[in-house]
């Protein structure tokens, strides 16, 4: 295993319900360290670019509307095997399929408004972190 950084987003459904602290506690309890974090408002262009891989999916326009419907918290998580560990603590995309104790099982409202995003590979983690953070904003410890 290796120490990795991964990108996490606390989505608008969760910021709206003031769940940032509870979600951060789940991340920290899973052994992930929050080494970068900021609350921002995405605009349409940013959300479209971030989710470009899904541009041909039927849910793309709704997803962009949802992600711009309120503030998000973008964060860099660091730890041993961080990408996989974050995906595990997030739970399945559809909260109905998410395991007990996961963030999405506990907090997600729907398959779309599912409270968190997490990078799914090392390559995507690097791209997604660079999308939101300047190097000077990330302290690797
Ligand atoms: P994940 O976030 O688990 O990596 P995907 O990358 O497949 O999932 O999808 C990106 C996001 O698009 C999801 O987190 C969710 O917000 C939304 N989404 C995925 N599938 C659907 C769907 N069938 N209907 C509506 N929204 C969806
Ligand atoms: Mg994904």
């Amino acid at each position: 295993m290796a120490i990795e950084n991964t990108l996490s987003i606390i989505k608008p459904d969760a910021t709206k319900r003031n769940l940032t602290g509870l979600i951060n506690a789940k991340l920290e309890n899973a052994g992930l360290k929050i080494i970068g974090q900021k609350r921002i408002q995405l605009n349409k262009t940013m959300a479209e670019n971030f989710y470009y891989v899904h541009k041909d999916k039927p849910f793309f326009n709704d997803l962009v509307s949802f992600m711009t419907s309120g503030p998000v918290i973008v964060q860099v998580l660091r730890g041993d095997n961080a990408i996989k560990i974050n995906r595990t603590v997030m739970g399945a995309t559809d909260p109905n399929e998410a395991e007990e104790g996961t963030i999405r099982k506990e907090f997600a409202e729907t398959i779309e408004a599912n409270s968190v995003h997490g990078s799914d590979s090392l390559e995507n983690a690097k791209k997604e972190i660079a999308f939101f953070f300047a190097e000077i904003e990330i302290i690797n410890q």
Side-chain angles (χ1 to χ4, degrees):
M1 279 191 279
I3 303 284
E4 297 168 344
N5 288 355
T6 189
L7 185 87
S8 166
I9 305 178
I10 301 179
K11 295 183 178 181
D13 66 286
T15 61
K16 214 165 283 173
R17 287 174 290 150
N18 218 18
L19 294 173
T20 301
L22 290 177
I23 290 173
N24 280 351
K26 290 242 185 227
L27 298 172
E28 291 183 339
N29 287 338
L32 297 164
K33 186 170 279 188
I34 302 162
I35 62 164
Q37 176 167 258
K38 54 193 176 186
R39 184 175 174 99
I40 60 172
Q41 172 66 51
L42 296 180
N43 64 31
K44 188 163 180 271
T45 306
M46 288 169 84
E48 284 173 349
N49 289 339
F50 184 77
Y51 278 120
Y52 190 74
V53 294
H54 294 306
K55 67 179 189 316
D56 296 325
K57 303 268 172 63
F59 58 81
F60 182 70
N61 288 338
D62 277 352
L63 177 60
V64 169
S65 297
F66 164 62
M67 289 300 289
T68 56
S69 67
V72 298
I73 313 287
V74 291
Q75 25 184 221
V76 181
L77 309 178
R78 183 172 176 83
D80 212 11
N81 210 15
I83 295 161
K84 177 84 189 307
I85 286 177
N86 184 42
R87 293 292 308 192
T88 301
V89 72
M90 285 165 63
T93 309
D94 181 348
N96 294 319
E97 289 168 16
E99 306 243 350
E100 284 302 326
T102 62
I103 292 168
R104 283 166 164 172
K105 175 73 178 184
E106 215 154 298
F107 302 121
E109 295 180 317
T110 63
I111 190 169
E112 177 180 80
N114 60 4
S115 304
V116 280
H117 166 86
S119 307
D120 61 7
S121 68
L122 192 56
E123 191 193 349
N124 285 336
K126 285 184 178 149
K127 279 192 212 159
E128 292 178 359
I129 290 167
F131 187 92
F132 287 113
F133 288 88
E135 269 180 47
I136 195 173
E137 295 178 297
I138 300 164
I139 297 95
N140 280 321
Q141 60 183 23

